[in-house]
């Protein structure tokens, strides 16, 4: 396919989408009369409902069913796949790694984001300082992985080209293969996700800090509260809902991410996580049943995080 | 603003400035800020400088030596753009553009319609349907991929074509897009819509003439969101276009380069920056809208 062909296809697609949109509008515009609201709503929602039903609802049900079938999807085998996941040694490491990711990434990304938001708040270079930490958000996980793979790169005993090993050597320590040994290699991968997500935490929390009413800060200041007290008794309680949203959003994102593992180690050396193992089982090994099971487990892990989020928000609203 | 600010607020402002000054003068705070900023910038800078070094230099010495012996070249970029070679990324670059543009336009159009319906057209079962759409946000893509792949291949016969990713990205974006745009639309005063109705405007006219101009910033915010998401995506590209270099995006090509030529830093560094530059330009020029979208979603979600 030539470049021209590709762009031609793209234009056709955009036009097709635009035509669908125009047809919907023309249809809706002709609807008049008493039950107009209902009919217009239906016309407006049809494409969305169809796409979501075909793209998310039906596949989710199928995957749930497939998780109770064998590798080829031909035979019902009950909960065998689930038993495999929770008893196989390699898969248990995958589960454990996933837990490490989902505990460490949200905590450190949020803590660093909050700390940074606090120390640069109202500084003269705030805008630039924010942009520096926020920038990794624009970089793909693949790009970020390559950036960090280079930081960790190991070059025998001689002069190092990876920054981290150069620092070790300068400190008189031996150079290391960071991505080789479990469990430390998982932590080196986790660092990449923290590096990406801290900017998101910083942005949301910085906005929350700025939204704290000035008179509360003023009152506390007149009471002679010092900086630490101000943080504990004024700032933190005021931004609590935002902190919870940030923690849970990052946790959900972390559960689903597989790009980092895939690009940096390919899941070797015991670094795999559920999201990567799903891909591995489904497409490399070809065990559809086990792949589906891992996808379902991922889904089940996301749900409690979301429920916690919603409940905390309700509580905050009630107060 | 300063002329109309009442005196009380002025003293408040002065006090804040005083606090800010005190905080700035705290050496620990400044040090922390500098340490974090350096940690967050150095890895990217290192790879960026590497992409301009010669193959031989990269192999024997660290990028920090560039400051002592600057020996820069564009050869690495020439290499990843030279046609005919196995490491030519230009085709993938085109693919990424071709994938991204429709995958941004389609969900923005559809979601704005749905969001308008949920916000301003009363009908029975509306709230339940809205909650259902909202709840679909929690379904991980992984759960939907394989059945969807079968639909594309067996039923629609579009396996491996751009259509698979255009449709998939649109589907996957809808729940969040509808939610975000709905939040923005709800903030528009009801009197505006009421007034238009009294004038005899139908929903189509209200949508185009009243709402669309008002929510343009929100559309921009979500558009940038979706742009970055699609451009940076690996999973969708890998699953639906994985075996097809003809249609694969940059991320897939670079990820596989990292697997097969993992120590060829002259290729990887240049390749990484080819893929980073477009989202970076979009992000830096439209950062304001992006942050707005982030805050609307983050704080209300």
């Amino acid at each position: 396919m030539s470049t021209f062909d590709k762009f031609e296809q793209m234009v056709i697609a955009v036009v097709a989408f635009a035509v669908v949109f125009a047809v919907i509008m023309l249809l809706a515009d002709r609807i008049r009369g008493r039950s107009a609201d209902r009919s217009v709503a239906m016309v407006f929602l049809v494409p969305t409902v169809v796409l979501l039903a075909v793209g998310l609802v039906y596949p989710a049900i199928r995957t749930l069913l497939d998780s109770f079938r064998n590798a080829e999807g031909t035979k019902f085998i009950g909960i065998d796949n689930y038993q495999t996941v929770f008893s196989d040694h390699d898969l248990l490491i995958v589960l454990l790694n996933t837990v490490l990711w989902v505990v460490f990434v949200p905590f450190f990304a949020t803590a660093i984001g909050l700390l940074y938001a606090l120390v640069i708040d109202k500084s003269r270079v705030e805008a630039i300082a924010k942009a520096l930490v926020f920038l990794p958000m624009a970089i793909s996980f693949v790009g970020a992985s390559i950036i960090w793979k280079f930081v960790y790169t190991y070059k025998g005993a001689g002069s190092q080209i990876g920054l981290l090993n150069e620092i070790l050597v300068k400190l008189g320590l031996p150079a290391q293969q960071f991505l080789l040994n479990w469990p430390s290699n998982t932590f080196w991968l986790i660092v990449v996700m923290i590096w990406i997500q801290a900017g998101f935490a910083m942005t949301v929390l910085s906005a929350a800090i700025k939204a704290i009413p000035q008179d509360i800060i003023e009152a506390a200041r007149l009471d002679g509260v010092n900086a630490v007290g101000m943080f504990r008794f004024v700032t933190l309680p005021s931004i609590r809902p935002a902190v919870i949203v940030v923690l849970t959003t990052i946790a959900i994102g972390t559960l689903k991410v597989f790009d980092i593992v895939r690009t940096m180690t390919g899941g070797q050396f015991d670094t795999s996580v559920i999201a990567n193992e799903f891909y591995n089982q489904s497409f490399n090994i070809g065990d559809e049943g086990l792949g589906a099971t891992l996808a379902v487990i991922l889904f089940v892990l996301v749900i409690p995080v979301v429920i916690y989020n919603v409940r905390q928000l309700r509580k905050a609203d009630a107060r | 603003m300063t002329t109309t600010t009442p005196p009380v607020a002025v003293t408040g402002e002065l006090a804040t400035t005083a606090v800010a000054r005190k905080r700035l003068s705290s050496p620990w705070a400044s040090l922390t800020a500098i340490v974090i900023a350096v940690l967050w910038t150095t890895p990217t800078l290192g790879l960026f400088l590497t992409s301009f070094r010669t193959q031989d230099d990269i192999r024997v010495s660290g990028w920090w030596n560039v400051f002592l012996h600057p020996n820069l070249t564009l050869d690495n970029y020439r290499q990843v753009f030279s046609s005919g070679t196995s490491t030519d990324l230009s085709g993938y670059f085109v693919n990424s553009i071709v994938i991204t543009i429709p995958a941004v336009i389609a969900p923005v159009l559809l979601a704005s319609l749905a969001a308008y319906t949920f916000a301003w057209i009363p009908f029975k079962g509306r709230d339940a349907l809205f909650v259902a759409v909202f709840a679909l946000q929690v379904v991980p893509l992984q759960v939907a991929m394989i059945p969807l792949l079968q639909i594309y291949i067996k039923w629609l016969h579009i396996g491996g074509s751009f259509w698979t990713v255009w449709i998939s990205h649109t589907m996957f974006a809808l729940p969040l897009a509808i939610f975000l745009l709905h939040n923005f639309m709800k903030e528009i005063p009801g009197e505006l819509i009421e007034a238009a109705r009294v004038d005899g405007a139908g929903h189509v006219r209200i949508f185009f003439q009243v709402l669309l101009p008002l929510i343009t910033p929100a559309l921009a915010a979500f558009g940038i969101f979706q742009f970055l998401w699609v451009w940076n995506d690996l999973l969708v590209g890998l699953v639906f276009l994985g075996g097809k270099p003809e249609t694969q995006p940059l991320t897939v090509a670079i990820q596989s380069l990292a697997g097969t030529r993992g120590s060829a830093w002259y290729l990887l560094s240049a390749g990484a920056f080819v893929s980073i530059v477009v989202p970076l330009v979009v992000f830096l020029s439209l950062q304001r809208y992006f942050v707005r979208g982030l805050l609307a979603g983050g704080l209300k979600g």
Side-chain angles (χ1 to χ4, degrees), chain A residues 18-293:
Chain A
V19 167
V20 171
F21 187 76
V23 168
I24 293 168
M25 283 313 194
L26 283 175
L27 266 177
D29 203 34
R30 310 193 102 198
I31 298 169
R32 290 272 184 271
R34 201 187 293 214
S35 60
D37 276 352
R38 223 185 108 88
S39 313
V40 172
M42 271 182 60
V43 174
F44 277 6
L45 287 179
V46 159
T48 295
V49 170
V50 169
L51 281 175
L52 289 178
V54 175
L56 286 170
V57 179
Y58 161 78
I61 296 168
R62 262 303 290 274
T63 299
L64 183 65
L65 294 175
D66 283 345
S67 75
F68 298 108
R69 292 176 193 275
N70 63 358
E72 294 78 35
T74 48
K75 213 177 99 205
F76 183 79
I77 53 166
I79 58 164
D80 277 13
N81 287 322
Y82 291 87
Q83 277 176 338
T84 308
V85 173
F86 289 101
S87 58
D88 183 90
H89 173 260
D90 288 348
L91 289 173
L92 280 177
I93 289 191
V94 168
L95 292 184
L96 181 58
N97 285 344
T98 306
V99 172
L100 292 177
W101 276 78
V102 88
V103 169
F104 282 97
V105 173
F107 178 78
F108 280 103
T110 309
I112 293 169
L114 178 56
L115 182 65
Y116 194 68
L118 284 170
V119 293
I120 61 161
D121 195 37
K122 297 189 185 103
S123 102
R124 262 169 306 165
V125 290
E126 188 173 341
I128 299 163
K130 274 183 165 172
L132 288 180
V133 172
F134 196 41
L135 219 51
M137 290 278 293
I139 300 173
S140 67
F141 289 105
V142 173
S145 302
I146 287 179
I147 287 172
W148 279 88
K149 221 182 150 184
F150 192 59
V151 172
Y152 296 147
T153 199
Y154 168 81
K155 207 174 138 296
S159 73
Q160 297 299 323
I161 60 167
L163 183 61
L164 206 54
N165 270 320
E166 171 74 3
I167 293 170
L168 284 185
V169 170
K170 279 272 147 66
L171 292 173
L173 297 162
Q176 280 206 31
Q177 303 218 45
F178 290 99
L179 301 176
L180 218 56
N181 299 311
W182 190 85
S184 61
N185 52 9
T186 284
F187 285 96
W188 294 116
L189 296 186
I190 285 175
V191 166
V192 183
M193 188 67 173
I194 295 172
W195 182 76
I196 296 169
Q197 296 291 352
F200 163 74
M202 181 265 298
T203 306
V204 175
L205 296 176
S206 170
I209 291 169
K210 289 186 193 307
I212 300 171
Q214 200 58 51
D215 46 341
I216 299 180
I217 299 170
E218 202 58 21
R221 212 179 56 85
L222 287 175
D223 286 346
V225 177
N226 64 7
V228 177
M230 188 71 96
F231 176 73
R232 254 194 77 187
F233 301 115
V234 179
T235 312
L236 201 55
S238 313
I239 62 169
R240 212 181 104 89
V243 170
I244 289 166
V245 169
V246 168
L247 277 172
T248 48
T249 308
I250 297 178
I252 294 168
T254 303
L255 273 173
K256 294 190 264 190
V257 75
F258 91 123
D259 321 33
I260 296 172
V261 172
R262 187 124 208 107
T263 311
M264 291 183 78
T265 64
Q268 288 174 292
F269 322 118
D270 288 334
T271 53
S272 197
V273 290
I274 294 178
N276 183 63
E277 204 52 31
F278 154 81
Y279 185 85
N280 200 26
Q281 291 292 343
S282 307
F283 298 103
N284 296 344
I285 298 173
D287 190 333
E288 277 178 35
L290 206 52
T293 306

Side-chain angles (χ1 to χ4, degrees), chain A residues 1 3 6-7 9-10 12-14 16-18 20-21 24-25 28-29 32 36-38 40-41 44-45 47-49 51-52 54-60 62-63 66 112 115-116 118-124 131-143 146-151 153 155 159-163 166 194-196 198-200 203-204 207-208 214 218 221 242 245 256-259 262-263 275 278-279 282-283 288 295-296 298-299 302-303 306 309 313, chain B residues 12 15-16 19-20 23-24 29 32-33 36-37 39-44 46-47 50 58-64 91 94-95 97-98 101-102 105-106 109-110 112-114 116-118 121-124 129 133 136-151 155 162-163 166-167 170-172 174-175 178 197 203-204 207-208 228 232 234-235 238-239 246-247 251 254-255 258 262 265 268 272 275-276 279-280 283-284 287 290-291 294-295 298-301:
Chain A
M1 219 189 314
T3 303
K6 290 174 182 174
F7 280 115
Q9 273 201 37
M10 181 184 90
I12 291 172
V14 172
F17 283 129
V20 171
F21 187 76
I24 293 168
M25 283 313 194
D29 203 34
R32 290 272 184 271
D37 276 352
R38 223 185 108 88
V40 172
F44 277 6
L45 287 179
T48 295
V49 170
L51 281 175
L52 289 178
V54 175
L56 286 170
V57 179
Y58 161 78
R62 262 303 290 274
T63 299
D66 283 345
I112 293 169
L115 182 65
Y116 194 68
L118 284 170
V119 293
I120 61 161
D121 195 37
K122 297 189 185 103
S123 102
R124 262 169 306 165
L132 288 180
V133 172
F134 196 41
L135 219 51
M137 290 278 293
I139 300 173
S140 67
F141 289 105
V142 173
I146 287 179
I147 287 172
W148 279 88
K149 221 182 150 184
F150 192 59
V151 172
T153 199
K155 207 174 138 296
S159 73
Q160 297 299 323
I161 60 167
L163 183 61
E166 171 74 3
I194 295 172
W195 182 76
I196 296 169
F200 163 74
T203 306
V204 175
Q214 200 58 51
E218 202 58 21
R221 212 179 56 85
V245 169
K256 294 190 264 190
V257 75
F258 91 123
D259 321 33
R262 187 124 208 107
T263 311
F278 154 81
Y279 185 85
S282 307
F283 298 103
E288 277 178 35
V296 172
L298 206 58
F299 184 42
V302 169
I303 292 173
V306 175
N309 192 347
L313 277 182
Chain B
T16 345
V19 171
R23 203 181 273 164
L24 262 185
T32 312
I36 294 177
L39 282 176
W40 255 251
T41 322
T42 312
T44 315
L47 196 75
T50 301
I58 296 171
R59 210 177 302 133
V60 296
S61 67
W63 56 266
W64 44 90
V94 171
N95 293 348
I97 296 172
V98 169
I101 292 173
I105 295 175
L109 287 181
L110 290 181
S112 62
L113 267 190
Y116 169 76
T117 313
F118 285 128
I121 306 183
F123 65 94
K124 217 176 134 209
L129 193 59
V133 169
L136 283 175
Q137 274 184 76
V138 306
V139 178
L141 297 194
Q142 282 88 347
V143 173
M145 306 220 93
I146 294 189
L148 211 47
L149 190 63
Q150 285 166 349
I151 292 177
W155 299 358
F162 287 122
W163 286 98
W166 289 329
I167 298 171
T170 303
M171 285 166 171
F172 296 152
L174 282 175
I178 292 170
R197 285 205 162 186
H203 286 299
V204 174
F207 177 81
F208 275 115
L228 292 178
N232 289 334
L234 176 66
L235 184 62
L238 202 55
V239 168
E246 281 235 295
T247 44
T251 45
I254 289 168
Q255 186 265 142
W265 287 110
L268 286 178
S275 77
I276 288 171
L280 223 50
F283 178 82
L284 288 177
Q287 198 183 7
F290 179 71
V291 170
L294 199 68
L295 294 177
L299 291 173
K300 286 174 189 168

Side-chain angles (χ1 to χ4, degrees), chain B residues 184 216-226 289-290 292-294:
Chain B
F184 276 102
T216 315
L219 292 179
F222 173 71
I224 299 157
F225 244 126
Q226 179 70 358
Y289 293 112
F290 179 71
R292 240 191 103 166
L294 199 68

